Amino acid sequence: MTAVSGAWHWLTTAAHWTGPDGVTHRLAEHLYFSGVALGLAVLLALPVAVALGHAGRGGTLAFALAAAGRAVPTFAVLTLLLVQLGSGSDWPVIIALVLFAVPPMLANTWVGMREVDRDVVEAARGMGMTGGQLLLRIELPLAMPLIWTGVRSAAVQVVATATLAAMAGFGGLGRIITAGFSRQVTAEVLAGAVLVAALALLVEGACAGVQRLVDPGGRPRARSAGDGPRDRARTTPGDRSSAPGPEEVPQR
Amino acid sequence: MAEYPELLEFPRFWQSRPLRQPGRSCLTENSWICGKYLRVYRQELTGSLVQHLWITATAVAIGLVVALPLALLARRVRSLAGPVLAVTTVLYTIPSLAMFSLLLPFWGISAALVVTGLVLYSLTILVRNTLAGLRAVPAEAVESAKALGYGPGRLLCTVELPLALPAVMAGLRLATVSTVALTTVGAIIGYGGLGNLLLDGINRDFKAQVLAATVLCVLLALAADAALAVVQWLLTPWVRRGRVAVRVRRRRGPRNPASGSGKRQAAPS
């Protein structure tokens, strides 16, 4: 397995970790893209989804967006944005990532808000709670696990999708892979792939850990929208035709 | 071998000085929408579309052929269900660019590499849905068939698989739509179907080409989904008529008021 030993050798060469093309810098770029995009997506998607869920409207919109996100290739969106905006700024990458992070958050949060037990809502209303109190004291806390599932799946997806930025000439860890292809160095391609895959699995694992902390004794919860190849918009709990939805499969 | 260009360094002629010739057209002006592009580049478009189609179709077909036995095995041997689902889920987590790269030592630069990567992705959805569908087959139906003297093979083929079919087809549709989108990433080694046009469009800063490839890609996904929906409709006549459908549907019916659409499928119980 010369390929594996080559990749190992590449990874253990100190020179490959420093400088503007080094792993450290590429990782920083990767996390920068992902972090900014995720933050923007949270700011954009959560308030809208909470409001829509509270009002019980817009479900069709949320699911239609989720379905559309699956059918439109991320790479195509990135390409469209790049050709329109030029490669001078990082905006094409960030906007593309935001566009793909919003649908799962929107759908999960919406479902989370709607899945709050109607009896509990009725009881709260009966106790004389106002709409605002209902939202803050009943609906949001009860919807929290699913909201977090949405954020988590978006986070994992964004980190994975950020890899594609390199195909459009931007930075990030994917750049190691594309540079390897352009130089025709299999070891470099493999090393980059290992790093990207490791980061994706790490983020997935970390998110699962945080979710367990946030919702320790919670009811068994599906990974729902959380399990997909990270560079496509994927299954949302509302779309049961795909992977099992929220309450349907115990976690792992 | 397809060489990957360093894109940032690529000179951007079109942006700096747009050509304004006497015989100018939407091609020389680099417009987003350009009918002339569709005519002049018809061959490239058709070629890419055909490549996209066969890569997607091959991947999903192989995925289905591999997923069915895996799902059956996972159902038969209970201790295997966890590991099978876990492995396919981990595979699903790996970003596509990395997946294709990891397969490079096995296949070299070839269409087989892209197809293999896509098969691995489709497995997750297909195994999961098939397993869910099989598990949601009503116990009474199985018991009745057994009481009528059905052997395991006949039971599977004439009772369980047909009843699991809606779930399998739902998985197939989802896998197909996802695969159509993911195929574009294969452009990294020149086997990305319409993705090749996208990458080429970046290099040449060619708006009409990028838009055309994107639109074709989305249309392809929608068309494939619609075609599979028709196949499902044709394959499951009992869902359309008769009381069986009502019973089956109620059994698998929504517990969740949030989504009661027809696309909803069996919940693994």
Side-chain angles (χ1 to χ4, degrees), chain B residues 14 18-25 27-29 36:
Chain B
W14 302 104
L19 297 177
R20 297 207 172 257
Q21 299 162 346
R24 68 188 194 188
S25 70
L27 273 183
T28 51
E29 300 234 307
K36 195 177 174 192

Side-chain angles (χ1 to χ4, degrees), chain B residues 17-229:
Chain B
R17 22 182 198 102
L19 297 177
R20 297 207 172 257
Q21 299 162 346
R24 68 188 194 188
S25 70
C26 56
L27 273 183
T28 51
E29 300 234 307
N30 197 15
S31 316
W32 278 111
I33 298 168
C34 182
K36 195 177 174 192
Y37 168 78
L38 298 179
R39 284 193 301 278
V40 174
Y41 285 78
R42 203 179 59 205
Q43 247 176 333
E44 283 86 345
L45 279 169
T46 333
S48 305
L49 190 63
V50 168
Q51 189 186 60
H52 206 114
L53 258 174
W54 78 254
I55 287 181
T56 304
T58 315
V60 174
I62 297 178
L64 193 62
V65 168
V66 177
L68 277 179
L70 267 182
L72 288 174
L73 187 71
R75 189 185 57 145
R76 176 64 56 87
V77 188
R78 282 192 152 254
S79 55
L80 273 182
V84 165
L85 286 179
V87 167
T88 51
T89 304
V90 166
L91 286 176
Y92 210 53
T93 308
I94 297 173
S96 52
L97 193 57
M99 178 72 98
F100 294 150
S101 307
L102 288 172
L103 292 169
L104 187 64
F106 300 101
W107 293 107
I109 304 278
S110 65
L113 187 157
V114 177
V115 170
T116 311
L118 295 174
V119 166
L120 292 178
Y121 282 135
S122 65
L123 275 186
T124 313
I125 304 171
L126 291 173
V127 170
R128 201 171 269 257
N129 270 48
T130 310
L131 196 58
L134 286 173
R135 282 179 175 167
V137 171
E140 305 95 275
V142 175
E143 292 304 317
S144 316
K146 277 184 184 158
L148 286 169
Y150 279 42
R154 196 169 163 212
L155 177 69
L156 180 71
C157 293
T158 60
V159 178
E160 291 179 305
L161 279 183
L163 283 175
L165 201 62
V168 177
M169 286 304 292
L172 194 62
R173 287 170 65 183
L174 187 71
T176 307
V177 171
S178 304
T179 306
V180 168
L182 274 178
T183 302
T184 55
V185 181
I188 186 76
I189 58 163
Y191 289 96
L194 295 163
N196 297 340
L197 292 182
L198 292 174
L199 196 56
D200 184 60
I202 299 178
N203 293 336
R204 298 160 63 187
D205 201 0
F206 197 168
K207 289 180 178 170
Q209 176 157 309
V210 168
L211 186 64
T214 305
V215 169
L216 274 179
C217 208
V218 174
L219 287 181
L220 186 60
L222 296 179
D225 191 51
L228 285 173

Side-chain angles (χ1 to χ4, degrees), chain A residues 152-232:
Chain A
R152 166 191 161 187
S153 84
V156 179
Q157 180 175 339
V158 160
V159 167
T161 311
T163 317
L164 291 183
M167 276 183 80
F170 293 92
L173 278 181
R175 190 73 177 198
I176 299 170
I177 297 177
T178 56
F181 270 114
S182 77
R183 282 196 274 259
Q184 308 191 8
V185 181
T186 307
E188 191 175 5
V189 172
L190 272 187
V194 167
L195 288 170
V196 167
L199 181 66
L201 292 172
L202 200 73
V203 171
E204 166 88 21
C207 285
V210 172
Q211 179 148 24
R212 215 155 287 170
L213 285 180
V214 169
D215 183 28
R219 60 195 169 114
R221 184 162 307 290
R223 303 157 36 76
S224 80
D227 26 47
R230 298 318 179 187
D231 33 17
R232 66 169 89 130

Side-chain angles (χ1 to χ4, degrees), chain A residues 30-125:
Chain A
H30 203 107
L31 294 177
Y32 163 74
F33 289 149
S34 314
V36 173
L38 192 66
L40 286 176
V42 166
L43 290 178
L44 218 67
L46 290 196
V48 173
V50 166
L52 287 178
H54 177 69
R57 290 164 184 274
T60 321
L61 174 80
F63 297 133
L65 268 182
R70 252 197 309 274
V72 182
T74 322
F75 182 46
V77 173
L78 186 58
T79 311
L80 282 172
L81 288 165
L82 168 67
V83 173
Q84 175 62 38
L85 303 175
S87 57
S89 69
D90 291 334
W91 284 112
V93 178
I94 290 172
I95 296 174
L97 292 180
V98 168
L99 286 178
F100 277 83
V102 163
M105 280 200 243
L106 213 57
N108 272 299
T109 306
W110 194 87
V111 171
M113 294 293 288
R114 295 315 296 165
E115 274 198 347
V116 172
D117 195 335
R118 290 296 109 188
D119 294 342
V120 176
V121 174
E122 288 307 312
R125 284 234 168 84

